[in-house]
Amino acid sequence: MTLDTICKGQKLEIIHIPDATIRAQAIRLGIYEGAKLICSEKLPAGPIILQNRMQEIAIGRNLAKKIAIQSIS
């Protein structure tokens, strides 16, 4: 399952970020393999907004298609 398939309000865990450069940049924003986040918004044909504690981060659709996740409860 990839990040672009998540629904608004779902909790998720990042499983794999494929590119080392993207992985390094994402770590600075609190997105890393094993991180537990919430999808706070999913804009039609736009970015996916992830909530990490009190911070919200927008991830573009093309990048979201490359990030492997799993849904958690």
Side-chain angles (χ1 to χ4, degrees), residues 5-73:
T5 62
I6 201 77
C7 295
K8 179 180 176 179
Q10 274 189 298
K11 294 180 183 180
L12 61 110
E13 181 178 356
I14 304 291
I15 300 299
H16 180 66
I17 302 172
D19 185 276
T21 305
I22 294 168
R23 192 177 314 120
Q25 292 171 350
I27 287 171
R28 294 184 191 122
L29 298 172
I31 299 174
Y32 52 89
E33 293 171 359
K36 293 173 176 58
L37 310 166
I38 299 170
C39 177
S40 61
E41 190 66 53
K42 185 176 179 182
L43 301 172
I48 294 161
I49 314 295
L50 299 176
Q51 183 179 356
N52 185 10
R53 297 186 186 108
M54 298 299 289
Q55 180 181 27
E56 289 189 331
I57 301 150
I59 305 290
R61 270 309 154 103
N62 289 333
L63 177 55
K65 289 178 182 177
K66 298 175 185 175
I67 299 175
I69 64 160
Q70 73 177 11
S71 182
I72 59 175
S73 51

